[in-house]
Amino acid sequence: MTCEDNPVRLTWEVQLHEPFSRVWICKAYGRATTTATPADLARAVLAVHLTAKPPRGGETFRGLAYTDTGGPCIVTADQLAADGWIADPAVRQALPTHLREGLPAEG
């Protein structure tokens, strides 16, 4: 059974790497029950976060999303190439309004 079949609860985070202590610090956090895949949700929250707050010199961000029973799906800023990716309706619905408004307009 996959997320495409039945809604599952996903937890998502945007994290900032702290190089001196070598830890990832949570900068944004949320949960949603959705049919969206963890990879799409991680990509969306990271893209919107980086659009709203561009990284300063040396900052490294990543987005991650995971189900209650699964491992994390991690997306880095390098993976957000301008490939024309558009968030599907399930991803848009899963995001809070302030993040949803930061996504590019639908097709």
Side-chain angles (χ1 to χ4, degrees):
M1 200 174 299
T2 64
C3 291
E4 292 84 18
D5 299 331
N6 294 311
V8 295
R9 187 171 75 166
L10 293 176
T11 303
W12 57 263
E13 295 181 42
V14 174
Q15 297 178 336
L16 168 66
H17 187 254
E18 207 298 307
F20 299 108
S21 60
R22 296 186 210 138
V23 297
W24 289 93
I25 301 167
C26 182
K27 300 302 279 182
Y29 176 87
R31 289 190 173 150
T33 300
T34 180
T35 57
T37 64
D40 282 346
L41 196 57
R43 183 179 183 139
V45 296
L46 180 60
V48 171
H49 183 82
L50 292 177
T51 300
K53 299 175 186 171
R56 293 176 284 182
E59 289 184 332
T60 303
F61 286 91
R62 71 180 184 183
L64 68 105
Y66 51 91
T67 63
D68 289 341
T69 58
C73 177
I74 299 171
V75 176
T76 64
D78 295 339
Q79 295 171 312
L80 295 178
D83 60 0
W85 177 80
I86 300 291
D88 67 30
V91 171
R92 289 180 177 280
Q93 186 177 10
L95 295 175
T97 303
H98 72 280
L99 293 178
R100 190 178 312 145
E101 291 173 350
L103 288 172
E106 291 184 72

